[in-house]
C-alpha cells in the first residue's frame, strides 16, 4: 500500500475477497443513488412549474419509504452473509493463540506440539520495514484452515492484518476467536488497531505464510 493508492489492499484470503466484493457492491449502489439525486435536483432547479397547493401525496410518500427499504435490503443481505462466514469455524487444522501486551504480542501453538514465543518490533531502520518488522514472525501454512484465538494480559488490543481481512479485539479475561485461511505464500503485515497506550504504534504484526511441510519442520524445532 502506498499513500497514493485509492483502492483496498490485494486480498489473500476468502474473507478479504468477500469484503472487497461487498465494498464494490455497496459503492455501486451509493454512486447510483448519488447520480439519481443529482439528476432530480437539477430537474427541480431548472423546472419553471410549481404547485403551491401540494400539501400531501400518499403515492410519493409510499415510494420514498419503500425504495430506501429495498436498497437497505440489498446491502444488508451480503453484509450479514460475510459476517457469519467470518465467525464460522470449518474444521480448523491449526490453532494459534495471540495475547496482547503493552507493547508486544506473544503467540502459542498448542495443537500437536507446544510452542510459545514473543514478538517485538525491530528498530534497524537501514534493513527493516519501519514500524513493521518483528524479531519473531508468526508462521502459518497456506491453504489450511486456521483458528485464531485472541486475548490480552493488560488492556484492550486489536490484532489486525488488512490483506487477510481479519481484525479482532484482544480483551483482558476473555477469549475471542476467528477463522483464517491464507490463499498464497507471502509475508503479511499489520499493527495493533486499538489505542492501548503510549507505545501503541510500536507493536506490529508480521505473519509468514509457508508450505505445510516447512511449517511442520519449523514447529518441531
Amino acid at each position: 500500500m502506498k499513500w497514493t493508492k485509492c483502492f483496498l489492499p490485494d486480498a489473500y484470503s476468502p474473507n478479504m475477497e468477500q469484503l472487497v466484493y461487498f465494498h464494490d457492491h455497496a459503492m455501486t449502489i451509493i454512486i447510483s443513488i448519488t447520480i439519481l439525486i443529482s439528476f432530480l435536483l437539477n430537474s427541480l432547479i431548472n423546472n419553471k412549474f410549481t404547485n403551491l397547493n401540494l400539501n400531501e401525496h400518499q403515492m410519493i410518500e409510499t415510494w420514498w419509504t419503500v425504495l430506501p427499504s429495498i436498497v437497505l435490503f440489498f446491502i444488508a443481505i451480503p453484509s450479514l452473509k460475510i459476517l457469519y462466514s467470518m465467525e464460522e469455524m470449518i474444521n480448523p487444522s491449526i490453532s494459534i493463540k495471540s495475547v496482547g501486551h503493552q507493547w508486544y504480542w506473544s503467540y502459542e501453538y498448542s495443537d500437536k506440539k507446544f510452542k510459545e514465543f514473543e514478538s517485538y518490533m525491530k528498530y534497524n531502520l537501514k534493513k527493516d520495514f519501519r514500524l513493521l518488522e518483528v524479531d519473531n514472525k508468526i508462521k502459518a501454512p497456506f491453504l489450511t484452515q486456521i483458528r485464531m484465538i485472541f486475548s490480552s494480559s493488560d488492556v484492550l488490543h486489536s490484532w489486525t492484518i488488512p490483506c487477510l481481512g481479519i481484525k479482532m479485539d484482544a480483551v483482558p479475561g476473555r477469549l475471542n476467536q476467528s477463522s483464517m485461511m491464507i490463499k498464497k505464500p507471502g509475508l503479511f503485515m499489520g499493527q495493533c488497531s486499538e489505542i492501548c497506550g503510549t507505545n501503541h504504534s510500536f507493536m506490529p504484526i508480521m505473519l509468514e505464510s509457508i508450505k505445510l511441510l516447512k511449517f511442520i519442520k519449523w514447529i518441531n524445532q
Side-chain angles (χ1 to χ4, degrees):
M1 287 291 292
K2 297 181 180 179
W3 69 272
T4 54
K5 204 170 184 181
C6 301
F7 304 102
L8 295 171
D10 296 335
Y12 287 92
S13 71
N15 288 339
M16 188 59 188
E17 286 180 349
Q18 294 298 319
L19 290 172
V20 172
Y21 294 151
F22 175 70
H23 169 267
D24 296 341
H25 170 72
M27 288 304 298
T28 301
I29 295 175
I30 292 171
I31 291 172
S32 302
I33 293 173
T34 304
I35 293 172
L36 176 61
I37 297 300
S38 300
F39 175 76
L40 293 176
L41 286 174
N42 183 64
S43 300
L44 287 173
I45 292 172
N46 296 324
N47 190 1
K48 297 180 180 179
F49 300 99
T50 58
N51 185 359
L52 299 178
N53 297 320
L54 181 63
N55 293 323
E56 64 175 354
H57 197 296
Q58 293 185 357
M59 184 59 67
I60 294 176
E61 294 174 357
T62 301
W63 278 110
W64 73 35
T65 303
V66 171
L67 288 178
S69 302
I70 295 174
V71 171
L72 290 175
F73 177 81
F74 279 107
I75 294 176
I77 294 302
S79 176
L80 291 173
K81 181 181 177 181
I82 296 172
L83 180 64
Y84 281 102
S85 67
M86 294 174 69
E87 296 293 331
E88 187 176 2
M89 294 293 164
I90 309 172
N91 192 20
S93 303
I94 300 169
S95 296
I96 304 174
K97 183 180 179 182
S98 173
V99 181
H101 307 267
Q102 288 183 314
W103 289 270
Y104 64 95
W105 295 96
S106 64
Y107 300 98
E108 296 178 11
Y109 296 78
S110 57
D111 289 319
K112 304 298 181 182
K113 184 177 180 181
F114 185 79
K115 190 179 184 72
E116 183 180 13
F117 59 90
E118 296 173 346
S119 180
Y120 290 88
M121 188 183 74
K122 294 174 70 176
Y123 292 93
N124 191 344
L125 299 179
K126 295 182 179 180
K127 297 181 179 179
D128 304 329
F129 295 105
R130 183 177 180 270
L131 301 182
L132 291 174
E133 191 78 28
V134 298
D135 54 357
N136 292 314
K137 305 181 185 68
I138 324 164
K139 295 184 185 294
F142 59 91
L143 296 178
T144 303
Q145 198 69 33
I146 302 169
R147 173 173 57 191
M148 296 295 301
I149 303 172
F150 307 97
S151 186
S152 173
S153 64
D154 35 53
V155 298
L156 286 174
H157 300 279
S158 185
W159 199 88
T160 308
I161 297 182
C163 290
L164 302 180
I166 182 170
K167 179 180 183 295
M168 185 62 69
D169 289 340
V171 183
R174 177 176 177 177
L175 292 177
N176 290 334
Q177 69 176 3
S178 180
S179 63
M180 179 176 68
M181 188 181 76
I182 309 168
K183 299 188 69 174
K184 298 178 182 179
L187 197 63
F188 308 102
M189 291 168 283
Q191 290 178 307
C192 177
S193 298
E194 186 76 35
I195 297 178
C196 55
T198 55
N199 290 332
H200 158 69
S201 302
F202 305 106
M203 49 183 304
I205 302 158
M206 185 170 283
L207 186 148
E208 185 178 1
S209 176
I210 56 178
K211 292 182 179 179
L212 182 59
L213 293 177
K214 289 186 177 180
F215 174 77
I216 295 174
K217 184 178 179 180
W218 173 80
I219 202 73
N220 289 324
Q221 289 178 352

